[in-house]
Amino acid sequence: MSYKLLDGKSTSLFVQEEIKTEVDRRIANGDKRPHLAAVLIGDDPASKAYVGHKVKACNKVGFDSSLIERNTNISEQEVLDIVSELNKNPEIDGFIVQLPLPSHIDSQKVIEAVDPSKDVDGFHPENVGKMSLGLDTFKPATPAGIMTLLNHYEIDTEGMHAVVIGRSDIVGNPMSSLLRSNTSPGNCTVTQCHSRTKDLKSHTLQADIIIAAIGKPHFITDDMVKDGAIVVDVGINRISDPSKKSGSRLTGDVDFENVAPKCSWITPVPGGVGPMTIATLLQNTLKAADGK
Ligand code: NAP
C-alpha cells in the first residue's frame, strides 16, 4: 500500500502563519502582543531543547516570551512563588512549567497552583474537567495538535475504532477523550491500552487509528497493524546511531520503515506530532490573550 505522510512540520508552519497574521492584525490595532512565559527547572537536555523550540516559535509568530530558568536544587516553595508571580503579572497571558520537575517537587501541586486562565498547557484539573465535559478550554497541546493534524488532512474519523496506547495525563488520557468526543475529527470508538493490557496486539490489529504514546523505540511493529490503518507516533526516543556526528538520533514508538507500507496515513518522527505540539501551545497562548 502506498502511504501518505501526516506532515506535522508543514501543518505547523501553516498554523503559525495564521497566528502571525492575527498577531500582526492586533498590533496594527494597537493591541498588546501575546506573551508566553516558560519555567524551566534543572538541566535536563531534552527539556531544555523543548523549551528552546517553544521560545523560538513565540518569536517567529510575534509573541513576547520570557524564560525563567532555575537550578535543580530550587525548593518546591520557590517554584510555587514563581507560579504565583506569573499568575499575578498582567503582562503574562499564559505560561508553562516544563515537566518533568525534579523529584523533590510535587508536580501536581505546581500544576494546581497555575491560574486556570493562564494554563496554556491545559493540565490544571479545572481545564481537564472542562475538556472532558466538551466545554471550551485549553486542551493539552500534544493531543489537540494531533486533532488539528487530522483535521488539516481532512481525515474523517467518525465511527472509526481508535486504539490509544498510553494513559499519561499529558497524552494518552486527553487523546482518548478528544477522539471519542462528539466533534469532527472525533466520534471514534476508543480503546485505551497501557502496560497492563493483555495481548496488546489483538487490540491494535482492530484499530483504524493507532496513537502510540508509549516512550519505547520501535515498539509498534508491522505485525501489530492492519492494512490501511492510520498511525500517529507520539514517541520521542533518543537511540544510539554511530553514523551521526552526535552518536544518536531521535526516533518514535513505531517501526516506521516496516509499518508505513501497511498504512494509509502515518506521522514521521521527527516532523510529525512534535511540531504540532508547539503550534498548539501558540494557539492556546493566543486564546489566553483573548481572555484578557
Ligand atoms: P508516559 O507518562 O511514560 O506514559 C507512557 C504510557 O505507555 C503509560 O501509560 C504506560 O502504561 C504505557 N506503556 C508502557 N509500556 C507499555 C507496554 N509495554 N505496553 C502498553 N503500554 C505501555 O509517557 P508520555 O508522557 O505519555 O509520553 C509518551 C511518549 O511520547 C514519550 O516518548 C514522550 O517523549 C513522547 N511525547 C512526545 C510529545 C510530542 O510533542 N511529540 C509530547 C509528549 C510526549 P502504564 O500507565 O501502565 O505505565
Side-chain angles (χ1 to χ4, degrees), residues 39-44 47 70-76 79 97-108 110:
V39 181
L40 176 62
I41 310 291
D43 47 18
D44 173 53
S47 292
R70 294 291 183 272
N71 292 330
T72 313
N73 56 14
I74 188 172
S75 71
E76 183 179 278
V79 177
V97 181
Q98 184 67 36
L99 300 177
L101 289 170
S103 56
H104 66 279
I105 299 172
D106 181 344
S107 303
Q108 194 56 33
V110 173

Side-chain angles (χ1 to χ4, degrees), residues 142 165-168 170-171 194-196 200 213-216 219 234-237 253 273-274 277:
T142 300
I165 312 158
R167 55 175 166 182
S168 70
I170 64 169
V171 190
H194 44 76
S195 69
R196 314 291 168 89
L200 181 67
I214 308 154
K216 295 195 168 157
F219 184 86
V234 185
I236 302 179
N237 310 291
D253 288 347
V273 175
T277 298

Side-chain angles (χ1 to χ4, degrees), residues 111-116 119 121-129:
I111 288 168
E112 290 185 27
V114 175
D115 179 338
D119 171 37
D121 262 337
F123 294 163
H124 190 284
E126 183 176 316
N127 290 325
V128 175

Side-chain angles (χ1 to χ4, degrees), residues 42-54:
D43 47 18
D44 173 53
S47 292
K48 272 194 168 187
Y50 295 147
V51 169
H53 292 320
K54 290 168 187 174

